[in-house]
């Protein structure tokens, strides 16, 4: 050991002596006859250096090999641990300079020999921060999703939804920023920085000149530029509708706007889109969020949201995410719809006032809507207030058909058993309130409070007649016919409420944001009065030559329109309430690492926690008169539709007034007795309470390698739930026996990796690919441990707390080319392999207490595959001459196939997924010039399976549908615009058929239209 220590000391003495000699010699030579020219020849040579995470010594050796210089230093001077350099065609001196400054090292050059020594006179540069906004030069409106690059360095970013950007850790006194945006000239800006401080800059872009008289980048064109820029710069595959684009169509609600998106179809309610279907998968396999936070349900039993309840005037943009990244919730197998609320823009004051009135041509009733949205953003404070209202009248003429097996001349035939005529008048009121208050303590931080309330109230007035056939004498004569007549008023409240507080900031090179949100969804039906009056034992002629509009003929003696012939002994009313409440919090932290001239890495991590309470109460009562009957003559309404269903029927006369029946019951309750079996069977199985909690965390990175972006990472989610329900039993005579309360606890979790690739062929063209994992949670009611057992009929319906979440592996490829004239051409293919697909099954129980019972239950099925392709083209035809250059094209088409195996009562079969539209598309022709904007739009879907039955012949199919709409606006001046629209010009209808071609359901809506104004006094 002593020898080693002596050797070590000797080595130190030799090294120090050598260093002193070297320093002395270098100083002497530099003072006497140092050759400056030779020194410059060494370090001033242009070289290429490509090293990653190497020691500073290794970097010096690389420079020595490429320049021929020799560095002299000690480990004391060499203080850097590791460095990464990826530079071409720069001098060795320029490459070394930033590392020398950071570590206070000086160069002493003597020919080919370069001495490194500590120089404490060198000042360490404190990094600066640059924040700013990208705006339209003409009107100072912010430009979201613009590309901002620090020229000469691999530092780039994309502005956020408010056109805001931030660069941290800048060491230069001046930087040159290069800004590009679709529809605008690419521009450069030189910005001076103050060391160690934050500099704010406003970058103004000029619209690309097309030299076409009457066409500008403002208004609708600007909205397209915002949407296209968001899509082009996104890490995932998405489609974006801007506020201005939504206004181009006659779409009053988010549901109506969604049907214009490629790959999207809608489920209709009374002629209006309600639930979204993305790439053939219904809303239960996707999610709807507001500013990134999952919205609670406004439906009963499911997680779905009625998109009729959100007015389009309350939103700034709608994003449809077709692939997921790890920082997004994993419940998006179908896709994720993110609604972005309005927000105040920097340096602007806006007041948007809209008002219109119109008419529903089926009912000849008027519609009205209005909107008031004010926002202002100064340096420190921003605020927004919005009030939006819509009062519309809708109508639906509906004919429904049921069938049974009848014996005629000894031969069994499937014939019409019931014909239902249901005329519905709907009055809908939508209220959308929103507010935001933001505080900006400095240029790098924001604190915000946001609140929104959407109320959707619908009052339905119905007139119904059902013709129930007892038997057939022959194909043209029916006997034992009963006509049931009812007037059933009912209403719905669907309310969405959300408040959020949060903030974002920049801490040195790290960026962080946090969000705390409370939201609730309410479904409330306080009114449902159903008094059914019957006229029985009738004989009628039946003409079914046209099976869609079969006609009954009665003798004059029957007098089917005389209310005195109708009587009732029972009366039903119902109360229903579902309340879904969420509390959730999320946090995200990220940083960009510079890996060289053309490479960088964004590292991001975060998580979310959500606590949910969901309850559903359904009270369904039936009351029976103790003696006697009620005569319809005393409860008659004035409902009358002599041109019902396009003149094929007369739905007038002998229609009761449900309000009068309810009033009579309340005033004479002692005359009635409750039907416990009916009440318990229709109340207890449907009532439940539940709690859920979600915990999620993720880690992700975005690696940029010149033109290739690789976004990948891993997300973990765990969902725990606790539901309480009821087991309801009936005896072999069908009478109610008992209700037993039960509860269940369970959970499911999983890891969800994802990979999104984007390769830029050029500045306008991307190739994208993605492989992702996602989940779909069962509906609330499906998880409840309820049972309804009918011993007499050997049937039972049951919940399934043992359900697992469905998971999916998704593969996507997409080509997208962005046109300089504001447009997009894209095409892609996709494939989804869904495990544990959730669907409603009907099967025979084998063994056990309920052997040979027919069971209806939601179950996890075999794997389901969904695959298809989609294409889209939108472009302003500005290359055409004269008048023609105002035209524009918007079109998209999606074709989808799917298959999965289901067990039937007869045999297993392979089918398409229910609700999947195999073909979906939009096509529209627009014209925009000299302040005029007009658009003729077509939306269509092909025939699809609406509902699976035990056999293919009994499956319910919805027939293909095409709807034609028109909308237009004319700008009177910069502040005032006149708008008009008409929807369903071609009177598109919803027609359902059974698998063998028999009509099942037919709904008729006619058309509706509006005309109004938009006014913005602060527009420039």
């Amino acid at each position: 050991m002593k020898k080693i220590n002596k050797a070590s000391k000797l080595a130190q003495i030799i090294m120090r002596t050598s260093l002193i000699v070297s320093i002395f010699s270098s100083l002497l030579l530099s003072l006497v006859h140092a050759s400056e020219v030779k020194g410059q020849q060494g370090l001033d040579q242009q070289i290429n250096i490509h090293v990653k995470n190497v020691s500073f010594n290794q970097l010096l050796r690389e420079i020595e090999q490429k320049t021929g210089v020799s560095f002299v230093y000690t480990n004391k001077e060499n203080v850097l641990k590791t460095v990464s350099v990826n530079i071409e065609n720069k001098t060795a001196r320029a490459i070394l300079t930033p590392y020398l400054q950071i570590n206070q090292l000086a160069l002493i050059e003597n020919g080919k020999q370069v001495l490194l020594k500590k120089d404490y006179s060198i000042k360490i540069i404190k990094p600066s921060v640059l924040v700013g906004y990208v705006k339209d030069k003409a009107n100072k409106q912010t430009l979201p999703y613009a590309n901002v690059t620090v020229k000469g360095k691999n530092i780039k970013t994309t502005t956020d939804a408010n056109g805001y950007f931030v660069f941290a850790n800048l060491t230069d006194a001046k930087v040159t920023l290069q800004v590009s945006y679709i529809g605008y000239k690419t521009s450069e800006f030189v910005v001076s920085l103050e060391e160690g401080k934050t500099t704010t800059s406003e970058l103004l872009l000029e619209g690309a000149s097309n030299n076409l008289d009457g066409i500008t980048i403002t208004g609708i064109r600007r909205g397209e530029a915002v949407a296209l820029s968001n899509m082009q710069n996104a890490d995932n595959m998405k489609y974006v509708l801007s506020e201005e684009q939504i206004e181009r169509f006659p779409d009053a609600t988010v549901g109506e706007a969604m049907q214009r998106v490629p790959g999207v179809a809608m489920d209709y309610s009374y002629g209006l889109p309600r639930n979204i279907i993305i790439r053939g998968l219904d809303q239960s396999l996707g999610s709807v969020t507001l500013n990134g936070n999952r919205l609670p349900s406004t439906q009963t039993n499911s997680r779905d949201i009625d998109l009729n309840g959100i007015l389009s005037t309350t939103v700034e943009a709608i994003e449809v995410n077709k692939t997921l990244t790890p920082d997004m919730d994993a419940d998006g197998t179908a896709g994720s719809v993110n609604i972005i609320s309005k927000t105040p823009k920097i340096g602007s004051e806006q007041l948007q006032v809209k008002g219109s009135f119109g008419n529903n041509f089926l009912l000849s009733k008027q519609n009205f809507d209005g909107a008031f949205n004010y926002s202002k953003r100064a340096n420190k404070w921003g605020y927004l207030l919005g009030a939006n209202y819509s009062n519309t009248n809708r109508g639906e003429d509906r004919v429904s058909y049921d069938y049974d097996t009848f014996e005629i001349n000894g031969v069994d035939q499937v014939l019409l058993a019931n014909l239902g005529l249901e005329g519905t008048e709907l009055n809908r009121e939508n209220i959308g309130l929103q507010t935001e208050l933001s505080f900006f303590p400095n240029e790098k931080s924001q604190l915000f409070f946001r609140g929104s309330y959407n109320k959707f109230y619908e009052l339905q007035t119905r007139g119904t007649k059902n013709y129930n056939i007892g038997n057939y004498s022959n194909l043209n004569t029916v006997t034992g016919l009963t006509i049931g007549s009812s007037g059933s008023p009912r209403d719905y409240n669907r309310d969405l409420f959300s408040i959020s507080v949060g903030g974002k900031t920049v801490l040195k090179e790290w960026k962080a944001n946090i969000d705390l949100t409370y939201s609730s969804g309410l479904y409330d039906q306080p009114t449902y009065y159903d008094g059914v009056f019957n006229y029985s034992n009738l004989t009628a002629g039946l003409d079914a030559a046209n099976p869609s509009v079969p006609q009954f003929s009665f003798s004059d003696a029957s007098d089917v329109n005389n209310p005195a012939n109708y009587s009732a002994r029972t009366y039903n009313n119902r109360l229903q309430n579902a309340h879904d409440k969420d509390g959730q919090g999320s946090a995200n932290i990220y940083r960009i690492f510079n890996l060289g001239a053309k490479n960088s890495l964004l590292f991001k991590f975060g998580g979310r926690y959500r606590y949910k309470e969901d309850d559903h109460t359904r009270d369904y009562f039936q009351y029976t008169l103790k003696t006697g009957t009620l005569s319809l003559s005393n409860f008659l309404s004035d409902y009358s539709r002599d041109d019902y269903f396009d003149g094929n029927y007369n739905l007038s006369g002998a229609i009761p007034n449900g309000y009068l029946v309810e009033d009579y019951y309340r005033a004479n309750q002692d005359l009635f007795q409750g039907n416990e079996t009916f009440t318990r069977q229709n109340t207890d199985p449907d009532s439940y309470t539940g709690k859920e909690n979600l915990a999620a965390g993720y880690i992700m990175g975005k690696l940029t390698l010149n033109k290739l972006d690789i976004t990948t990472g891993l997300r973990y989610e765990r969902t725990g739930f606790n539901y309480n329900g009821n087991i309801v039993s009936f005896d072999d005579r069908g009478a109610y026996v008992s209700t037993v309360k039960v509860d269940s606890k369970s959970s499911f979790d999983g890891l969800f990796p994802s990979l999104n690739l984007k390769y830029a062929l050029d500045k306008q063209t991307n190739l994208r690919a993605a492989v992702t994992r996602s989940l779909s949670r069962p509906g609330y009611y499906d998880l409840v441990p309820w049972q309804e057992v009918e011993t007499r009929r050997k049937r039972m319906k049951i919940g399934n707390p043992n359900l697992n979440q469905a998971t999916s592996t998704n593969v996507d490829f997409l080509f997208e080319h962005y046109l300089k004239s504001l447009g997009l051409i894209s095409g892609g293919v996709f494939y989804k392999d869904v495990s544990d697909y959730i669907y409603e099954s009907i099967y025979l129980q084998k063994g056990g207490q309920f052997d040979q019972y027919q069971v209806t239950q939601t179950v996890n099925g075999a794997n389901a595959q969904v695959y298809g392709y989609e294409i889209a083209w939108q472009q302003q035809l500005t290359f055409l001459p004269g008048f023609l250059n105002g035209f524009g094209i918007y079109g998209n088409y999606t074709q989808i196939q799917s298959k999965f195996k289901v067990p039937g009562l007869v045999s297993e079969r392979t089918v398409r997924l229910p609700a999947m539209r195999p073909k979906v598309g939009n096509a529209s022709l627009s014209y925009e010039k000299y302040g005029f904007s007009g658009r003729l739009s077509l939306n269509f879907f092909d025939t699809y399976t609406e509902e699976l039955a035990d056999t293919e012949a009994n499956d319910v199919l919805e027939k293909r549908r095409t709807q034609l709409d028109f909308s237009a606006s004319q700008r009177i001046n910069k502040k005032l615009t006149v708008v008009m629209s008409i929807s369903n010009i071609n009177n598109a209808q919803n027609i359902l058929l059974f698998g063998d071609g028999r009509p099942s359901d037919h709904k008729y809506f006619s058309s509706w239209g509006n005309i109004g104004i938009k006014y913005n006094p602060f527009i420039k």
Side-chain angles (χ1 to χ4, degrees):
M1 289 294 291
K2 289 183 178 179
K3 290 183 180 180
I4 295 176
N5 287 337
K6 287 181 179 179
S8 177
K9 288 182 179 180
L10 180 61
Q12 292 179 19
I13 292 170
I14 294 172
M15 289 177 61
R16 290 176 181 174
T17 303
S18 300
L19 179 59
I20 293 170
V21 172
S22 298
I23 294 173
F24 179 77
S25 300
S26 298
L27 288 172
L28 181 62
L29 289 171
S30 65
L31 290 172
V32 178
H33 55 77
S35 175
E36 182 179 351
V37 175
K38 288 183 180 180
Q40 289 177 341
Q41 286 176 344
L43 291 180
D44 288 332
Q45 294 181 56
Q46 286 192 337
I47 61 174
N48 302 331
I49 295 288
H50 302 283
V51 294
K52 182 176 180 180
N53 295 329
V54 301
S55 67
F56 189 51
N57 295 356
Q58 288 176 279
L59 174 62
L60 296 178
R61 284 196 292 272
E62 286 278 332
I63 296 175
E64 285 177 338
Q65 292 175 4
K66 295 179 182 293
T67 62
V69 303
S70 177
F71 291 101
V72 179
Y73 54 89
T74 68
N75 288 334
K76 186 176 180 181
E77 276 71 36
N78 181 11
V79 296
L80 289 173
K81 293 182 180 179
T82 60
V83 295
S84 296
V85 181
N86 185 18
I87 296 177
E88 295 184 0
N89 299 322
K90 276 199 173 184
T91 65
R93 189 184 306 278
I95 294 172
L96 273 175
T97 297
Y99 301 105
L100 299 176
Q101 290 177 340
I102 292 173
N103 294 280
Q104 295 178 282
L105 292 175
L107 292 176
I108 300 176
E109 301 174 52
N110 178 32
K112 292 289 186 176
Q113 190 177 51
V114 180
L115 175 68
L116 299 181
K117 68 180 294 282
K118 277 287 184 178
D119 185 352
Y120 294 98
S121 66
I122 296 177
K123 182 180 179 183
I124 299 177
I125 298 175
K126 295 180 180 179
S128 304
V129 177
L130 172 60
V131 301
Y133 292 86
V134 177
K135 296 184 178 181
D136 186 314
K137 185 176 182 179
N139 53 33
K140 299 299 179 69
Q141 291 185 341
T142 57
L143 297 176
Y145 317 112
N147 285 314
V148 185
T149 304
V150 180
K151 193 175 181 181
K153 300 177 181 289
N154 186 39
I155 306 175
K156 59 184 177 180
T157 190
T158 301
T159 60
D160 67 8
N162 292 312
Y164 172 83
F165 69 91
V166 57
F167 290 116
N169 200 34
L170 299 175
T171 56
D172 296 330
K174 286 186 178 180
V175 293
T176 300
L177 301 181
Q178 188 176 66
V179 186
S180 61
Y181 202 73
I182 294 176
Y184 289 77
K185 295 179 180 178
T186 297
S187 303
E188 293 186 358
F189 305 87
V190 178
V191 181
S192 297
L193 303 177
E194 191 172 351
E195 182 186 345
K197 295 187 178 180
T198 299
T199 301
T200 302
S201 181
E202 186 178 84
L203 311 180
L204 303 179
L205 293 188
E206 184 177 349
S209 174
N210 51 32
N211 297 317
L212 298 175
D213 190 23
I215 299 178
T216 67
I217 195 68
T218 59
I220 292 171
R221 296 287 173 91
R222 177 187 174 276
E224 283 193 52
V226 171
L228 292 172
S229 296
N230 187 349
M231 294 155 58
Q232 182 184 30
N233 294 318
D235 296 327
N236 63 328
M237 300 180 196
K238 66 163 66 172
Y239 192 87
V240 182
L241 282 172
S242 69
E243 176 185 3
E244 293 88 347
Q245 287 176 300
I246 294 171
E247 290 178 349
R248 298 178 79 175
F249 298 99
D251 299 332
T253 68
V254 168
E256 292 177 87
M258 291 305 307
Q259 65 186 331
R260 314 295 177 182
V261 175
V264 168
M266 300 299 297
D267 177 33
Y268 287 81
S269 172
Y270 299 103
L272 291 177
R274 179 176 62 181
N275 296 334
I276 186 170
I277 293 143
I278 305 175
R279 289 178 166 178
L281 299 175
D282 64 37
Q283 193 180 120
S284 66
L285 277 77
S287 63
V288 178
T289 62
L290 176 65
N291 299 318
N293 292 307
R294 178 74 186 251
L295 284 171
S297 172
T298 56
Q299 305 276 41
T300 61
N301 303 332
S302 74
R303 300 178 189 270
D304 295 346
I305 297 162
D306 190 337
L307 295 176
N308 278 324
I310 305 176
L311 292 171
S312 59
T313 53
T314 66
V315 305
E316 186 164 293
I318 304 172
E319 299 176 331
V320 181
N321 296 290
K322 296 183 178 179
T323 66
L324 304 178
T325 53
D327 55 348
M328 301 169 61
D329 287 349
D331 55 342
T333 295
S336 171
V337 177
N338 184 35
I339 301 168
I340 301 174
S341 63
K342 292 180 183 291
T343 187
K345 303 296 187 296
I346 181 69
S348 70
E349 183 178 19
Q350 292 186 348
L351 173 62
Q352 296 176 327
V353 179
K354 300 178 184 179
S356 70
F357 65 92
N359 187 70
N360 181 282
F361 296 104
L362 180 67
L363 304 176
S364 296
K365 290 189 175 182
Q366 284 66 54
N367 302 321
F368 168 79
D369 61 75
F372 174 93
N373 292 282
Y374 176 76
S375 64
K376 186 175 182 180
R377 164 76 193 278
N379 290 331
K380 291 288 186 181
W381 292 93
Y383 48 88
L384 176 144
L385 293 171
N388 305 266
Y389 177 76
S390 173
N391 189 316
T392 59
N393 288 283
R394 305 291 185 194
E396 177 183 277
D397 290 356
R398 177 184 181 187
V399 179
S400 59
Y401 318 79
D402 288 322
Y403 300 86
D404 206 341
T405 301
F406 296 90
E407 182 181 326
I408 301 180
N409 298 325
V411 179
D412 288 342
Q413 300 186 53
V414 177
L415 300 171
L416 182 70
N418 187 86
L419 177 72
L421 307 180
E422 182 180 272
T424 305
E425 298 181 8
L426 305 95
N427 179 253
R428 289 179 165 176
E429 286 188 274
N430 287 75
I431 299 173
L433 305 176
Q434 55 191 335
T435 184
E436 178 175 326
L437 178 64
S438 292
F439 174 62
F440 303 86
N442 54 53
E443 299 90 341
K444 300 180 292 182
S445 303
Q446 177 190 6
L447 300 173
F448 66 83
F449 167 83
R450 296 190 185 109
S452 68
Y453 174 67
N454 290 276
K455 183 177 184 62
F456 173 28
Y457 175 74
E458 179 176 283
L459 175 62
Q460 298 182 4
T461 302
R462 288 182 172 183
T464 303
K465 282 190 178 179
N466 283 290
Y467 298 82
N468 188 269
I469 298 171
N471 214 331
Y472 279 79
S473 297
N474 54 61
L475 290 177
N476 298 313
T477 307
V478 296
T479 61
L481 177 72
T482 298
I483 303 176
S485 178
S486 65
S488 307
R490 60 179 183 177
D491 63 2
Y492 303 91
N493 289 283
R494 291 183 175 93
D495 297 353
L496 266 176
F497 173 72
S498 176
I499 55 172
S500 296
V501 294
K504 59 183 180 180
T505 190
V506 178
L507 301 171
K508 294 186 178 180
E509 298 181 6
W510 292 89
K511 301 177 184 179
N513 60 67
I514 188 171
D515 182 287
L516 299 173
T517 297
Y518 170 80
S519 55
S520 69
L522 175 68
Y523 173 99
D524 184 32
Q525 185 185 63
T527 302
Y528 184 103
Y529 308 142
D530 189 16
V532 181
F533 291 78
N534 295 314
Y535 185 9
S536 303
N537 298 318
L538 295 170
T539 297
L542 174 61
D543 179 2
N546 184 349
S548 296
V549 285
Q551 302 290 330
F552 292 98
S553 56
F554 299 91
S555 66
D556 293 339
S558 298
D559 198 4
V560 294
N561 289 320
N562 183 355
N565 291 328
Y566 292 79
S567 63
R569 294 194 65 245
T570 62
Y571 167 63
N572 301 336
N573 66 23
R574 185 173 77 195
L575 304 173
Q576 195 165 2
N577 181 283
H579 205 178
D580 189 3
K581 295 163 284 187
D582 288 356
Q584 54 190 314
S586 63
N588 303 279
I589 301 172
Y590 58 102
R591 176 183 173 180
I592 298 177
F593 294 88
N594 182 16
L595 304 181
K598 297 182 179 180
N599 305 328
S600 65
L601 172 67
L602 181 149
F603 175 70
K604 187 175 184 180
F605 64 94
R608 179 187 298 276
Y609 179 80
R610 180 167 62 236
Y611 175 77
K612 173 188 291 292
E613 292 184 357
D614 179 68
D615 58 76
H616 178 223
T617 302
R618 188 187 194 204
D619 295 314
Y620 204 161
F621 305 103
Q622 184 176 83
Y623 307 101
T624 304
L625 278 171
K626 296 176 182 177
T627 59
T629 60
L630 302 177
S631 172
L632 178 54
S633 300
N634 299 319
F635 303 95
L636 198 61
S637 73
D638 58 0
Y639 186 91
S640 178
R641 288 286 309 283
D642 55 9
D643 59 347
Y644 183 80
F645 204 68
D646 199 24
N648 285 288
Y649 295 103
N650 184 353
L651 190 57
S652 302
I655 303 289
N657 184 327
Y659 292 104
L660 296 179
V661 183
E662 169 70 8
D663 291 342
Y664 182 85
Y665 163 73
R666 289 183 179 275
N668 301 277
Q669 294 187 38
D670 57 323
L671 301 180
F672 293 84
Q673 62 183 7
N675 184 334
E676 186 179 29
T677 293
F678 179 95
T679 299
R680 298 275 67 85
Q681 184 173 13
N682 291 280
T683 296
D684 295 352
D686 295 276
S687 300
Y688 64 87
T689 61
K691 297 178 182 178
E692 290 186 3
N693 60 81
L694 163 74
Y698 74 89
I699 184 171
M700 66 175 282
K702 176 185 175 183
L703 179 63
T704 298
L705 301 174
N706 196 1
K707 295 183 177 182
L708 176 64
D709 287 347
I710 304 171
T711 303
T712 187
L714 183 66
R715 186 178 185 88
Y716 172 77
E717 289 197 5
R718 180 190 183 278
T719 305
F721 58 86
N722 180 7
Y723 280 95
N724 303 282
N726 299 300
I727 296 177
V728 187
S729 301
F730 304 86
D731 63 21
D732 56 6
R733 293 178 291 109
Y736 170 71
V737 175
S738 65
T739 297
V740 178
K741 293 187 178 296
V742 291
D743 67 346
S744 64
K745 293 182 180 180
S746 188
S747 65
F748 32 70
D749 64 354
L751 292 170
F752 302 93
S754 66
L755 172 66
N756 282 267
L757 305 176
K758 180 176 70 171
Y759 183 78
L761 293 176
D762 54 46
K763 290 184 178 180
Q764 281 78 43
T765 309
N766 291 328
L767 288 177
R768 293 180 182 268
V771 180
T772 60
R773 286 280 290 170
S774 58
L775 68 88
S776 305
R777 296 184 180 88
Y780 305 136
Y781 190 50
D782 298 331
L783 292 166
V784 177
W786 64 275
Q787 289 185 9
E788 179 184 334
V789 182
E790 298 181 81
T791 305
R792 180 176 62 88
R793 303 175 68 184
K794 300 197 78 171
R795 291 184 179 182
M796 62 186 302
K797 299 177 181 179
I798 57 178
N800 191 352
N802 295 318
L803 275 173
N804 198 7
Q805 60 188 4
T807 58
S808 177
T809 299
N810 317 292
V811 182
D812 295 81
F813 296 95
L814 179 68
F815 166 85
E816 54 185 16
H817 177 69
Y818 294 88
L819 304 170
K820 293 182 179 179
S821 59
L822 287 183
L824 169 68
I825 298 174
S826 67
V829 296
F830 55 89
Y831 172 80
K832 298 178 182 293
D833 186 3
V834 186
S835 301
D836 293 324
Y837 183 78
I838 301 169
Y839 72 102
E840 186 178 82
S841 175
I842 302 175
Y843 61 92
L844 286 176
Q845 175 68 31
K846 295 182 180 180
Q849 178 183 357
F850 301 107
D851 184 43
Q852 297 303 308
Y853 273 60
Q854 179 178 309
V855 180
T856 301
Q857 183 184 37
T858 299
V859 299
N860 289 115
N863 285 18
Q865 288 83 40
V866 180
Y867 49 93
Y869 68 88
E870 58 188 27
I871 55 176
W873 173 33
Q874 62 185 82
Q875 182 178 9
Q876 302 301 321
L877 306 181
T878 53
F879 55 84
L880 295 176
F883 171 82
L884 298 177
N885 59 41
F887 281 105
I889 298 293
Y890 179 93
N892 54 71
Y893 175 79
T894 302
Q895 184 158 331
I896 310 168
Q897 293 295 329
S898 66
K899 60 181 180 180
F900 84 117
K901 293 181 179 180
V902 295
L905 291 179
V906 178
S907 62
E908 183 180 79
R909 57 194 180 109
T910 300
V911 298
R912 288 178 174 176
L913 296 179
M916 188 212 77
R917 280 70 166 167
K919 298 176 183 178
V920 180
N922 290 278
S924 69
L925 179 67
S926 64
Y927 189 83
E928 296 169 16
K929 201 169 181 180
Y930 303 114
F932 173 82
S933 174
R935 173 166 290 213
L936 186 65
S937 308
L938 180 147
N939 171 267
F940 69 91
F941 61 76
D942 200 5
T943 301
Y944 69 96
T945 303
E946 167 70 20
E947 182 180 323
L948 291 171
D950 53 346
T951 62
E952 183 177 356
N954 290 325
D955 287 347
V956 178
L957 311 177
E958 180 158 349
K959 195 174 179 180
R960 63 176 58 92
R961 183 180 189 273
T962 300
Q963 179 172 317
L964 190 65
D965 306 316
F966 176 74
S967 58
S969 66
Q970 176 63 55
R971 191 172 68 244
I972 306 303
N973 53 48
K974 287 185 176 181
K975 300 179 180 181
L976 180 64
T977 301
V978 177
V979 297
M980 66 85 63
S981 67
I982 182 168
S983 298
N984 201 21
I985 297 172
N986 60 325
N987 188 25
Q989 302 163 38
N990 289 94
I991 302 173
L992 276 66
L993 305 172
F994 286 102
D996 57 7
R998 290 169 291 145
S1000 170
D1001 206 309
H1002 194 148
K1003 299 172 183 176
Y1004 176 95
F1005 312 105
S1006 191
S1007 306
W1008 56 93
N1010 279 62
I1011 186 169
I1013 62 169
K1014 297 190 299 183
Y1015 178 66
N1016 189 339
F1018 300 126
I1019 197 169
K1020 297 180 181 180

